[in-house]
Amino acid sequence: MLFLIGVLVVVVGVALSIALHEIGHLVPAKKFGVKVTQYMVGFGPTIWSRRRGETEYGIKAIPLGGYVRMVGMLPPRPGDVEGQLRTVSTGRFSQMVDQARADSMEEVRPEDADRVFYKLSPGRKVVVMLGGPLMNLLIGFVLITGVITLYGLPQVVPKVGLISECVPTATPTVADPHPACAPGDPAAPAKLGGLRENDRIVAINGAPVSTWTAVAAAIRDSGGSPMTFVVQRGGEEVTLTVTPARLERATLDEQGAPVTQDGKLVLKSVGFMGITPGQELVTTPLLEAPRFVWDRVVDTASVIWRIPEKMVGVAEAAFGSGERDPNGPISVVGVGRIGGEVAALDIPADEGGNWLKIAQLVLLIASLNLALFVFNLIPLLPLDGGHVAGAMWEAVKRGWAKLRNRPDPGYVDVAKGLPIAYGMSLVLITMSVLLIYADIVKPISIFG
């Protein structure tokens, strides 16, 4: 039941995100006088619609997108009289473009001649087409800011999380860089020294510590010498003496991967206590929220940039024996499944309980909105970024002509980009079908 609730929350969140995205186009288009005949959430058969004024508002059966139909999206071909179209093209792509122009002109009535999209100034075209992606960015910003400033995010703190039972004495290898305990291994120093889970470490060898990084560095560099820990436990400070073990451990690079040389691990002698860091919810100051959200946008952009590469792995996993990359792309089916898994988690009340699950679902929807923002900025039709690129090119051409006292070159003929749009649409449909199939037959499970 909880799983289904989580899926439903994601479905509603996706639908609302799409609806608000389209409102981001609708409002400025109407503000600038463009005639909008339809505002639809979803694709396929219409489930419900209602006409208000000149615009039909409705919901369609497949909630995988939406659209705002503005009249006159495509300009007439240079040399054509407005409202008339010469059919002189013989090539297949040219005929497709001419048909698209004809379909666009059919919507334009004589009284709407000055209410067509293509007659907007380049700046207004950019505002209309960026309205959708910027709405997604705003949604993501508001949701993320609300979670990180009001509720907080789990962060590593100088607190004992888990305590190992023993000291793994096996030498690390390339095949097993982090060996586990084996029968006969000695007990972990933390266990022998009396440390307990949830002990907050406040000082080591008389020096205050406020981060887990400082704790880890002190243990690593101890050389196996006895260390004095002051911990907070049950409202009291307790002093303990713990002697770390000395172990040969793999050297890690900046990404946390083991460093190798000549096919072997690069080892170094470090202190070992046998503890892992604990986590606590830590709120972020409001003024730091923009930087936090920007970092998430950059991370999202780096993932989208690598989608073509990642899709190869998705195909291999879907049709072969490979495993899905947990950091790879997923479809709305995968997002819904993750939402269900989050809702179904059994989280104790003292570790966040239902509030933590709600926060994770909110962040999931926020991440989806950031992905919609970045993806729609790709400067290719039929994405919003393709229309923005056309408007910006029109501004450059007109500005350059004005600077050189040349005649106005007119509107940029975005219809010439329709073959690219058709190809891009085919690619997007193929990717969507592949991701949905992979999310059904071999889904990503972030909780094991």
Side-chain angles (χ1 to χ4, degrees), residues 219-431:
I219 296 171
R220 184 177 58 248
D221 300 336
S222 65
S225 300
M227 304 177 68
T228 301
F229 284 78
V230 177
V231 301
Q232 287 182 344
R233 179 188 299 169
E236 299 180 353
E237 287 194 351
V238 179
T239 300
L240 303 169
T241 299
V242 185
T243 303
R246 295 192 63 178
L247 294 178
E248 293 292 314
R249 280 291 173 262
T251 301
L252 305 179
D253 60 18
E254 293 181 356
Q255 285 71 43
V259 177
T260 61
Q261 184 175 0
D262 298 328
K264 297 182 179 180
L265 288 180
V266 177
L267 304 178
K268 64 178 180 180
S269 178
V270 298
F272 177 84
M273 288 276 292
I275 57 176
T276 61
Q279 292 187 336
E280 290 181 353
L281 290 173
V282 179
T283 57
T284 301
L286 183 60
L287 293 179
E288 295 181 15
R291 172 59 66 87
F292 184 93
V293 174
W294 173 251
D295 289 342
R296 302 293 77 73
V297 170
V298 172
D299 293 342
T300 301
S302 66
V303 171
I304 290 178
W305 176 258
R306 299 181 61 190
I307 278 182
E309 170 193 344
K310 295 286 188 179
M311 290 303 296
V312 175
V314 173
E316 291 176 348
F319 300 105
S321 58
E323 293 296 325
R324 292 285 300 277
D325 180 0
N327 296 316
I330 58 176
S331 69
V332 290
V333 173
V335 175
R337 184 185 183 92
I338 291 175
E341 291 182 352
V342 169
L345 288 174
D346 184 15
I347 303 177
D350 59 350
E351 295 181 12
N354 290 332
W355 285 110
L356 179 58
K357 293 193 284 187
I358 292 172
Q360 293 299 323
L361 287 172
V362 170
L363 290 176
L364 181 62
I365 296 172
S367 298
L368 178 63
N369 275 275
L370 295 187
L372 289 173
F373 165 69
V374 174
F375 189 74
N376 273 289
L377 292 185
I378 297 175
L380 292 173
L381 294 173
L383 301 175
D384 296 332
H387 293 282
V388 171
M392 294 179 68
W393 177 236
E394 180 178 314
V396 170
K397 287 182 62 178
R398 287 184 159 181
W400 182 248
K402 184 177 182 180
L403 186 65
R404 301 182 66 185
N405 293 319
R406 296 272 183 95
D408 188 340
Y411 311 109
V412 166
D413 190 5
V414 293
K416 292 180 179 179
L418 287 179
I420 297 176
Y422 297 144
M424 185 69 176
S425 297
L426 181 60
V427 170
L428 293 176
I429 292 172
T430 303
M431 288 173 51

Side-chain angles (χ1 to χ4, degrees), residues 74-117:
L74 302 179
R77 187 171 43 208
D80 286 350
V81 178
E82 286 193 20
Q84 299 180 12
L85 178 66
R86 295 174 296 130
T87 305
V88 298
S89 304
T90 57
R92 176 173 298 178
F93 285 131
S94 296
Q95 290 177 353
M96 292 169 61
V97 172
D98 284 346
Q99 183 59 50
R101 289 188 203 275
D103 293 341
S104 179
M105 287 184 179
E106 284 181 359
E107 300 177 329
V108 183
R109 298 178 180 179
E111 63 269 22
D112 300 327
D114 293 326
R115 300 186 62 197
V116 292
F117 175 80

Side-chain angles (χ1 to χ4, degrees), residues 34-54:
V34 178
K35 183 176 181 179
V36 181
T37 58
Q38 280 189 319
Y39 166 90
M40 291 289 170
V41 177
F43 296 111
T46 300
I47 297 176
W48 171 89
S49 71
R50 177 173 296 177
R51 180 171 294 278
R52 289 192 175 181
E54 63 188 13

